[in-house]
């Protein structure tokens, strides 16, 4: 884990694409897209049907790594509204164990707007905790600290003639309505079968406006690597 300053406090970004919030003892993950493999299979694209197992194993590892007592997902938890009904017994058992072991909050996204609580935990469209807004999709014009997912940001840069493409978080810096420094963050997609959008895509940069600057951040060799994406003139 590497420390990351955000919303006037220290957080930790894990190598496994999760964000840990020490004050709340909360692990935040975005875009699990559970049962994406079985969704593809229903539509004739045969892929290994074990993505939910892999994703949930990674959640369990992140809980052990951080000592989190709470898990908050940031939407698109299942790939479609029927995903929870398709969980095979092993993955269903894993999810039940996780939601029983920690306080689990599902924030819903555009892929799961009608999600039910059959998988344990509680549901919310968005929530504010400790002055930080947690929602699935970044809201353009938001000036309060905000955490979201949705865009699956991926860093695409060349370093010393070597191309780098890897999931990243995107962080904006701005001045809040009260004049104090503020910021917003889009987390990388956590699910095993999730692709990515270029972190510098206009859709991401526009979603984080207003901002003074926007950076991509990734853990690298135990440190936080920061790559500028946009800066106000």
């Amino acid at each position: 884990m590497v420390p990351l300053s955000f919303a006037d406090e220290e957080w930790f970004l894990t190598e496994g694409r999760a964000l840990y919030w020490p004050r709340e003892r909360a692990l935040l993950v975005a875009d699990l897209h559970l049962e994406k493999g079985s969704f593809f299979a229903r539509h004739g694209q045969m892929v290994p049907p074990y993505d939910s197992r892999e994703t949930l194993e990674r959640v369990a590892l992140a809980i052990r790594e951080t000592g989190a007592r709470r898990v908050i997902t940031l939407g698109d938890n299942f790939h479609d509204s029927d995903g929870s009904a398709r969980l095979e017994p092993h993955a269903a058992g894993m999810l039940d164990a996780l939601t029983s072991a920690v306080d689990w909050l599902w924030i819903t996204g555009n892929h799961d707007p009608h999600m039910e609580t059959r998988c344990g935990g509680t549901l919310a469209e968005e929530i504010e905790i400790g002055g930080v807004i947690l929602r699935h999709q970044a809201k353009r014009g938001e000036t309060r600290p905000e955490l979201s997912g949705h865009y699956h940001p991926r860093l695409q840069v060349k370093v010393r003639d070597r191309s780098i493409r890897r999931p990243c978080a995107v962080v904006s810096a701005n001045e809040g309505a009260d004049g104090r420094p503020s910021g917003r963050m889009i987390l990388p997609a956590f699910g095993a079968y999730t692709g990515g959008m270029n972190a510098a895509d206009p859709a991401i940069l526009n979603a984080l406006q207003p901002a003074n600057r926007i950076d991509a951040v990734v853990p690298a060799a135990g440190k936080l690597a920061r790559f500028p994406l946009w800066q106000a003139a």
Side-chain angles (χ1 to χ4, degrees):
M1 296 191 298
V2 298
L4 169 63
S5 179
F6 176 75
D8 283 339
E9 56 186 302
E10 188 171 71
W11 307 59
F12 289 90
L13 196 60
T14 77
E15 294 283 350
R17 310 180 209 170
L19 182 70
Y20 181 60
W21 190 356
R23 174 162 62 86
E24 298 293 329
R25 298 199 70 176
L27 183 76
L28 293 103
V29 291
D31 299 281
L32 301 178
H33 283 268
L34 298 170
E35 291 304 302
K36 187 173 182 177
S38 62
F39 176 85
F40 281 168
R42 289 174 63 182
H43 292 81
Q45 295 177 262
M46 303 308 296
V47 296
Y50 304 115
D51 56 302
S52 294
R53 292 189 189 188
E54 181 179 342
T55 298
L56 294 172
E57 285 171 356
R58 292 175 56 230
V59 173
L61 176 61
I63 292 172
R64 292 195 298 271
E65 180 185 9
T66 60
R69 296 289 182 86
R70 189 177 196 186
V71 171
I72 304 172
T73 71
L74 296 179
D76 286 0
N77 307 297
F78 287 87
H79 190 66
D80 63 285
S81 57
D82 297 325
S84 60
R86 294 198 308 275
L87 277 172
E88 45 90 12
H90 183 82
M94 293 173 65
L95 183 55
D96 181 65
L98 287 171
T99 57
S100 299
V102 297
D103 179 17
W104 192 288
L105 173 63
W106 304 96
I107 290 176
T108 55
N110 55 291
H111 276 257
D112 45 28
H114 305 299
M115 184 177 167
E116 300 177 0
T117 55
R118 72 179 77 182
C119 297
T122 56
L123 291 173
E125 289 187 10
E126 64 178 59
I127 193 170
E128 180 177 350
I129 300 176
V132 180
I133 306 298
L134 309 178
R135 55 169 58 111
H136 176 58
Q137 186 171 353
K139 185 177 180 181
R140 182 180 170 88
E142 180 64 79
T143 58
R144 297 168 295 178
E146 175 197 71
L147 292 170
S148 63
H150 182 66
Y151 290 102
H152 303 202
R154 184 179 293 268
L155 178 67
Q156 296 181 199
V157 295
K158 278 194 174 182
V159 178
R160 298 176 183 173
D161 296 325
R162 184 165 63 96
S163 294
I164 295 177
R165 294 185 74 252
R166 59 181 297 184
C168 67
V170 179
V171 182
S172 71
N174 189 37
E175 186 176 275
D178 58 1
R180 298 175 59 188
S182 181
R184 299 158 69 199
M185 188 187 317
I186 298 175
L187 296 189
F190 193 87
Y193 282 3
T194 49
M197 173 186 285
N198 186 343
D201 190 283
I204 293 177
L205 303 183
N206 290 336
L208 290 175
Q209 298 298 331
N212 296 325
R213 62 175 295 159
I214 301 174
D215 297 329
V217 295
V218 293
K223 297 180 180 180
L224 188 71
R226 190 177 291 268
F227 296 84
L229 299 175
W230 180 90
Q231 186 162 351

